[in-house]
Amino acid sequence: MTVEPGAHAEIEIRGLHKAFGEHEVLRGIDLEVARGEVVCVIGPSGSGKSTLLRCVNLLEEPTAGQVFVGGTEVTDLDVDIDAVRRRIGMVFQQFNLFPHVTVEENLTLPQRRVLRRGKAEAVRVARENLARVGLAEKADAYPAQLSGGQQQRVAIARALAMGPELMLFDEPTSALDPELVGDVLAVMRMLAADGMTMMVVTHEMSFAREVADRVVFMDGGRIVEEGPAEQVVGAPRHERTRHFLTRIL
Ligand code: ADP
Ligand code: MG
């Protein structure tokens, strides 16, 4: 998918570098994600995938380069970081739900605190999004009463309740028992079909093949190859990509 001339990419990353002390973790990343596009990021552990995602919503501060979200430069020193983060939903491997409140309250509290929504509206949006991930009947449960897959779907619903214009997923199914992975991927598939812009770090090659518009293979802090899933996963051009795929498939 290419960006129409004159239209903004939803995410645009230019010459992105990130170092932790002497350790250069991202070594010049250029990447565009069009509105409504689903990009899967694959690559070995330590290749910089999480750091890349975290630079998009400024959980990490880039050492050099620029990141634009919906045409706004988020790496501009004068940017309102909180306003930028409100536009971006993020889902992590560990679901990070608030353990001491109900599922519904997990969805209403951030809306009320961050978006200043009134209680009735926050509850309405919470229920709408719990229904979307198939968990309407769990509104009054506590996180510990849910399976890992259900907790991750709550985490996705919580991010959606904030009305994000794009979603970042960092290995959302890696902490789940294999039999719970499918329901989470089904929710992500539905989001993709609804036109959500998504960057997904994953080892689920069947998901990448079926849902991703584009797959990006990273190694050593660089993009080694990118293209349609059937090409990158099905017929990789680079030896490093082939080597990685033979180890995980
Ligand atoms: P991936 O998600 O592909 O496994 P990461 O982006 O998590 O890779 O990490 C890339 C490298 O950066 C690793 O070597 C990791 O140890 C290092 N790294 C990540 N975060 C930090 C940090 N906050 N401080 C120092 N080093 C870090
Ligand atoms: Mg990671």
Side-chain angles (χ1 to χ4, degrees):
M1 196 183 296
T2 53
V3 179
E4 297 292 320
H8 292 300
E10 182 57 42
I11 305 172
E12 187 175 346
I13 298 167
R14 291 191 198 152
L16 179 65
H17 288 255
K18 175 65 183 175
F20 294 104
E22 298 282 281
H23 187 189
E24 237 199 309
V25 171
L26 298 178
R27 300 159 179 258
I29 300 280
D30 294 285
L31 182 65
E32 284 190 16
V33 180
R35 203 153 286 166
E37 193 178 20
V38 178
V39 170
C40 283
V41 180
I42 63 173
S45 177
S47 56
K49 306 179 299 296
S50 295
T51 304
L52 174 61
L53 279 195
R54 294 165 62 84
C55 282
V56 172
N57 65 359
L58 299 182
L59 285 176
E60 299 292 354
E61 195 188 330
T63 313
Q66 292 172 301
V67 177
F68 298 82
V69 172
T72 309
E73 185 184 348
V74 303
T75 37
D76 186 322
L77 290 176
D78 293 328
V79 85
D80 178 349
I81 291 183
D82 293 330
V84 170
R85 291 204 185 114
R86 280 200 284 277
R87 295 161 58 191
I88 304 174
M90 184 145 184
V91 174
F92 302 89
Q93 182 173 333
Q94 300 302 338
F95 334 119
N96 303 325
L97 297 177
F98 309 124
H100 54 287
V101 299
T102 65
V103 162
E104 183 170 289
E105 286 163 333
N106 265 275
L107 271 70
T108 56
L109 292 176
Q111 294 183 65
R112 301 199 64 194
R113 279 189 198 147
V114 178
L115 303 180
R116 304 262 159 235
R117 280 185 186 150
K119 183 162 189 199
E121 190 192 1
V123 168
R124 180 181 61 72
V125 173
R127 290 185 183 162
E128 208 173 271
N129 282 289
L130 284 174
R132 218 169 155 196
V133 302
L135 290 173
E137 79 287 4
K138 298 293 184 188
D140 297 324
Y142 284 82
Q145 297 171 310
L146 306 183
S147 73
Q150 290 172 331
Q151 289 186 53
Q152 189 58 301
R153 283 150 64 200
V154 172
I156 294 172
R158 180 175 62 175
L160 293 175
M162 305 299 277
E165 62 186 63
L166 67 114
M167 291 281 287
L168 307 176
F169 293 87
D170 194 354
E171 301 199 28
T173 60
S174 294
L176 301 176
D177 292 333
E179 73 272 21
L180 303 177
V181 168
D183 289 344
V184 172
L185 294 181
V187 167
M188 294 168 63
R189 214 174 274 126
M190 168 202 77
L191 277 183
D194 284 353
M196 179 63 79
T197 308
M198 296 162 62
M199 252 179 106
V200 184
V201 175
T202 187
H203 296 297
E204 295 291 337
M205 289 305 122
S206 57
F207 176 82
R209 280 193 126 146
E210 187 194 334
V211 181
D213 297 297
R214 204 142 44 93
V215 172
V216 170
F217 172 69
M218 284 181 70
D219 196 12
R222 291 197 175 86
I223 293 176
V224 174
E225 94 174 88
E226 66 175 290
E230 62 269 23
Q231 180 205 307
V232 176
V233 181
R237 293 180 181 166
H238 288 261
E239 178 50 36
R240 277 191 284 172
T241 317
R242 280 195 287 269
H243 180 70
F244 171 74
L245 290 168
T246 55
R247 280 185 312 162
I248 65 159
L249 289 179

